Amino acid sequence: MYKHLLILAVLCVFGYNIKAQNCPSVETTATEIRNHLDYLASDQLLGRNTPSPGLDTAAEYIIARFKELGIKPAGNSYRHTIGLQRQHLGSGNSMTLTISGKTTDIPLKSGFIPFLFSADTTVESAIVFAGYGITDTAWGYDDYRGLDVKGRIVVVLSDGPKGKGIIPAERLNSEESKVQNAILHGAAGFVMVNGPARRLILKPRGYPWPSLSKIMPDDLMPVNIADPEKKHIPAVHAGEQVIEAIWGSVEGLKSIQAKLDDGASPVSVPITESSMSINTSVKTEYLSADNVAAILEGSDPVLKDELLVIGAHYDHVGAGRDKGDGSDFIFNGADDNASGTSGVLAIAGLFAQQKVAPKRSVMFILFAGEERGLLGSQAYVRNPVVPIEKTVAMINLDMISRNGDSLFLEGSAACPELTEIVRSKNEKTGLNLILDKNELTGGSDHASFSARGVPFLFFISGLHKDYHKVSDNPDKSDALKAARTAHLGFLTAWQIANEDQHYTLNK
Ligand SMILES: [Zn+2]
């Protein structure tokens, strides 16, 4: 007995032999994961929305675990603050249009609606019609060719040209990039109307502001990474009233759109004897949330400058309204992603228990804001602790506690050498590895790294009926499954962190 234990201890100390998984047992890791998961997915944390006090409490818990393990902060602090912002529609939004001496007040909501990305300011100027508002140099298409829009308000059509010189749908600009294109050309204001040739509904869309539509509760307004560099101008979506005031009728604009689609002649023109005044009141609320990151410095004098990132998002989507009738209103996010968070903590624990540090440095990072669009991982890759070129691989754990033995390695075809490591380590772990699926590839934090050229592994046990529902509760999570995944993740990570190979990322 004693001798046997000694052998295991020796294996545990000296390297990444497959036997390292016996130290400690998966059952021990499962107990640890159960504790983390039950706490992180408890009602007390109210679904860990970004940002929220519950998320902050979860961050405290994670930091306490890193301290217990003796793993140091990555950078000056375990907390890496992400500057966030959220927009609200202010009061006093207005729009006035004068054509050949005739002035029309366009009402908010039925006549025009500011876009989410509009500036908070007033503009008054003559107007210029700029076609679809698209500049696609590579395609040889430019609605702004020969047009001077400096200081002017541009009016553009939704969508893109059809017919001659058609631009494929995937090259079409988003509404926001049409605004950015207008800004690049010096425009001071932006008005979009639906192109009546292909759109039956001409009502203003803009954004479903809670105060205008009641569709969206105020606290569910999207949160974005604050970008002080980004330029804004008043930007609105306008309806039929504006079309009629400028072109006399919807039919008038339809015939212009037909010419535009024909590609026969440029139809972008200044609108004569026109002026427009737009005041958009869009208030920015500044917020913040934290990624939590710890680093284990490598032991090899050269390889320690290289980094393996092991991450998971610790946020979820928060809570709905308490109806007071005892019905569940908390999105606990046990599988999504208290499980992956617990898995990363377990892997950190397995690393910390090795007597020798790995050759490469290893960072354990828990991201905020994944559910709001990979905000935490995007903020990290913009401002990494170790230069991104030195990051040899990223392992992402997102939803690892469901669906029996099945473990998907999503997008694995992109990273063949890394996949091969997992496949060989799994010979002992015995999970049902499902390789080369690509259905869920873009949907989690590894995507922020792969976009910067970092090879990745994405462990996910697959979707289920409780996905993004209040029923994603801790009792439905299989802690043993998560522990087996964590052990497989550890064995894989231990090898990556101890070799000097660089891995391929096929795009
Ligand atoms: Zn999710």
Side-chain angles (χ1 to χ4, degrees):
M1 193 64 175
Y2 176 74
K3 200 175 170 189
H4 181 61
L5 280 178
L6 186 68
I7 289 167
L8 282 181
V10 167
L11 286 169
C12 202
V13 170
F14 291 107
Y16 46 92
N17 188 294
I18 200 81
K19 288 247 162 60
Q21 73 173 317
N22 297 325
C23 181
S25 70
V26 249
E27 286 75 16
T28 307
T29 302
T31 307
E32 181 196 330
I33 284 183
R34 172 53 61 201
N35 290 335
H36 296 329
L37 200 147
D38 282 352
Y39 178 75
L40 293 167
S42 63
D43 284 355
Q44 188 190 336
L45 300 193
L46 285 169
R48 311 182 306 282
N49 201 2
T50 302
S52 72
L55 186 73
D56 205 55
T57 308
E60 277 306 307
Y61 180 87
I62 295 162
I63 291 167
R65 301 289 84 71
F66 283 140
K67 284 183 179 165
E68 273 173 19
L69 295 171
I71 307 180
K72 292 186 184 125
N76 296 328
S77 160
Y78 289 110
R79 287 181 180 268
H80 295 200
T81 298
I82 318 162
L84 299 171
Q85 62 181 19
R86 167 156 71 191
Q87 272 68 34
H88 301 280
L89 193 65
S91 57
N93 286 278
S94 66
M95 186 175 186
T96 308
L97 175 59
T98 304
I99 304 281
S100 307
K102 186 171 181 274
T103 298
T104 317
D105 280 327
I106 313 294
L108 178 66
K109 190 174 175 179
S110 65
F112 81 98
I113 298 177
F115 283 111
L116 185 64
F117 37 81
S118 179
D120 182 41
T121 189
T122 303
V123 61
E124 189 167 358
S125 133
I127 57 179
V128 176
F129 176 58
Y132 288 102
I134 295 172
T135 301
D136 188 334
T137 318
W139 197 258
Y141 184 94
D142 187 6
D143 282 307
Y144 286 90
R145 190 176 298 142
L147 203 63
D148 181 11
V149 300
K150 283 193 185 65
R152 301 286 191 251
I153 295 172
V154 295
V155 179
V156 308
L157 297 175
S158 64
D159 315 304
K162 201 182 175 187
K164 231 187 208 174
I166 186 171
I167 300 178
E170 64 270 18
R171 292 184 75 94
L172 280 184
N173 300 2
S174 68
E175 287 164 345
E176 186 169 9
S177 65
K178 284 191 181 186
V179 175
Q180 289 302 320
N181 191 33
I183 292 172
L184 270 178
H185 286 87
F190 177 93
V191 178
M192 181 184 282
V193 294
N194 278 357
R198 288 187 293 284
R199 293 253 190 181
L200 292 176
I201 295 166
L202 303 179
K203 277 198 302 195
R205 210 167 55 251
Y207 191 78
W209 298 97
S211 60
L212 298 184
S213 74
K214 312 279 180 220
I215 292 171
M216 184 185 282
D218 213 27
D219 53 0
L220 282 186
M221 283 297 289
V223 168
N224 304 299
I225 298 177
D227 184 356
E229 304 291 300
K230 200 168 193 174
K231 291 200 174 101
H232 299 271
I233 54 175
V236 306
H237 193 266
E240 214 165 322
Q241 216 180 344
V242 166
I243 295 175
E244 280 169 357
I246 297 176
W247 289 283
S249 67
V250 171
E251 289 307 313
L253 179 56
K254 247 189 201 172
S255 68
I256 288 173
Q257 192 178 2
K259 279 189 210 161
L260 200 53
D261 288 348
D262 229 14
S265 55
V267 283
S268 299
V269 283
I271 308 290
T272 49
E273 293 182 57
S274 70
S275 78
M276 189 183 258
S277 158
I278 314 173
N279 176 45
T280 52
S281 172
V282 173
K283 304 297 176 198
T284 302
E285 175 191 9
Y286 291 96
L287 307 157
S288 69
D290 296 335
N291 290 335
V292 180
I295 198 163
L296 202 59
E297 196 180 307
S299 53
D300 183 275
V302 177
L303 288 175
K304 72 178 179 147
D305 292 341
E306 297 186 341
L307 184 71
L308 167 65
V309 174
I310 304 173
H313 74 89
Y314 75 105
D315 69 306
H316 193 51
V317 299
R321 293 216 166 87
D322 184 359
K323 295 198 199 91
D325 59 1
S327 60
D328 195 356
F329 64 100
I330 299 165
F331 294 82
N332 300 71
D335 184 46
D336 185 9
N337 189 26
S339 70
T341 302
S342 307
V344 169
L345 290 176
I347 295 173
L350 292 168
F351 267 97
Q353 283 175 54
Q354 311 305 312
K355 291 267 164 64
V356 193
K359 293 179 180 170
R360 283 170 167 156
S361 296
V362 180
M363 187 168 74
F364 306 97
I365 182 162
L366 288 315
F367 300 109
E370 190 270 353
E371 301 285 11
R372 290 194 180 265
L374 316 185
L375 301 183
S377 51
Q378 280 179 18
Y380 174 80
V381 299
R382 279 185 200 184
N383 192 15
V385 172
V386 169
I388 213 77
E389 314 78 64
K390 291 279 182 189
T391 301
V392 295
M394 193 272 174
I395 300 178
N396 184 24
L397 274 55
D398 192 356
M399 303 170 63
I400 57 161
S401 64
R402 294 286 195 114
N403 298 329
D405 271 356
S406 298
L407 181 66
F408 291 83
L409 218 52
E410 280 283 319
S412 54
C415 307
E417 300 102 335
L418 292 177
T419 303
E420 186 44 38
I421 300 174
V422 183
R423 215 197 44 72
S424 74
K425 299 299 171 195
N426 187 53
E427 279 169 18
K428 280 287 161 77
T429 316
L431 286 162
N432 173 27
L433 267 194
I434 304 164
L435 306 178
D436 300 338
K437 295 269 182 188
N438 288 304
E439 283 130 43
L440 310 163
T441 341
S444 189
D445 293 306
H446 60 278
S448 302
F449 288 79
S450 66
R452 301 285 173 119
V454 178
F456 67 93
L457 287 167
F458 176 25
F459 290 78
I460 179 164
S461 61
L463 299 179
H464 46 79
K465 66 177 175 39
D466 301 307
Y467 172 69
H468 278 217
K469 299 226 169 77
V470 292
S471 51
D472 183 5
N473 286 322
D475 60 315
K476 294 198 178 147
S477 276
D478 177 351
L480 187 60
K481 160 74 171 288
R484 291 171 72 196
T485 307
H487 275 239
L488 178 59
F490 165 69
L491 293 171
T492 303
W494 186 251
Q495 174 159 337
I496 295 169
N498 280 291
E499 57 187 19
D500 57 7
Q501 195 185 333
H502 292 99
Y503 314 98
T504 317
L505 173 69
N506 300 322
K507 289 252 176 172

